[in-house]
């Protein structure tokens, strides 16, 4: 679910205080994008999933990032309806819960 080696690497690079700030910014930005996910505009959905994927992988949310990647590719291939937003929300929520423990 989480890539602890990536998280430890980032912690080592920026330190604990800066990591907390990065995590807060990540959570704010991701939650804002998650709230607007919709099948109504496939181009925006693809853009949002690409953004979420990058954020997730940079911060070690590997399972969530992988789902975003699959969704992005699905939209790109013309299957926006194949993106199950509920699954993305669940994966993010579970990853966040584990991170915060």
């Amino acid at each position: 679910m989480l890539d602890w080696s990536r998280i430890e690497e980032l912690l080592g690079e920026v330190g604990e205080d800066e990591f907390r700030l990065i995590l807060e910014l990540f959570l704010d930005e991701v939650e804002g994008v998650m709230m607007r996910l919709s099948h109504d505009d496939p181009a925006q959905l693809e853009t949002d999933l690409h953004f979420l994927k990058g954020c997730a992988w940079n911060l070690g949310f590997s399972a969530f990032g992988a789902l975003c990647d699959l969704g992005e590719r699905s939209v790109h291939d013309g299957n926006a309806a194949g993106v199950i937003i509920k699954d993305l929300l669940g994966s993010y929520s579970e990853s966040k819960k584990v991170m915060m423990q």
Side-chain angles (χ1 to χ4, degrees), residues 1 5 13 28 47-48 60-61 64 66 79:
M1 175 168 294
S5 63
E13 290 173 3
D28 286 345
T47 298
D48 287 343
F61 281 54
F64 175 61
N79 184 23

Side-chain angles (χ1 to χ4, degrees), residues 2-89:
L2 295 177
D3 179 354
W4 289 107
S5 63
R6 173 62 189 139
I7 294 165
E8 290 173 12
E9 177 185 5
L10 187 56
L11 265 167
E13 290 173 3
V14 300
E16 192 170 325
D17 290 339
E18 188 68 23
F19 179 80
R20 287 180 196 269
L21 293 173
I22 291 169
L23 180 59
E24 287 178 28
L25 179 62
F26 165 79
L27 296 175
D28 286 345
E29 287 185 8
V30 166
E31 289 172 13
V33 173
M34 295 290 289
M35 290 173 48
R36 76 170 180 240
L37 288 180
S38 169
H39 295 106
D40 295 340
D41 182 349
Q44 184 63 53
L45 180 59
E46 185 176 4
T47 298
D48 287 343
L49 290 170
H50 180 78
F51 171 79
L52 291 170
K53 172 186 72 176
C55 290
W57 283 345
N58 282 331
L59 205 62
F61 281 54
S62 56
F64 175 61
L67 273 180
C68 292
D69 183 50
L70 287 173
E72 179 188 9
R73 285 189 273 143
S74 182
V75 175
H76 181 79
D77 292 342
N79 184 23
V83 176
I84 302 176
I85 294 172
K86 179 181 168 186
D87 289 350
L88 289 165
L89 294 170

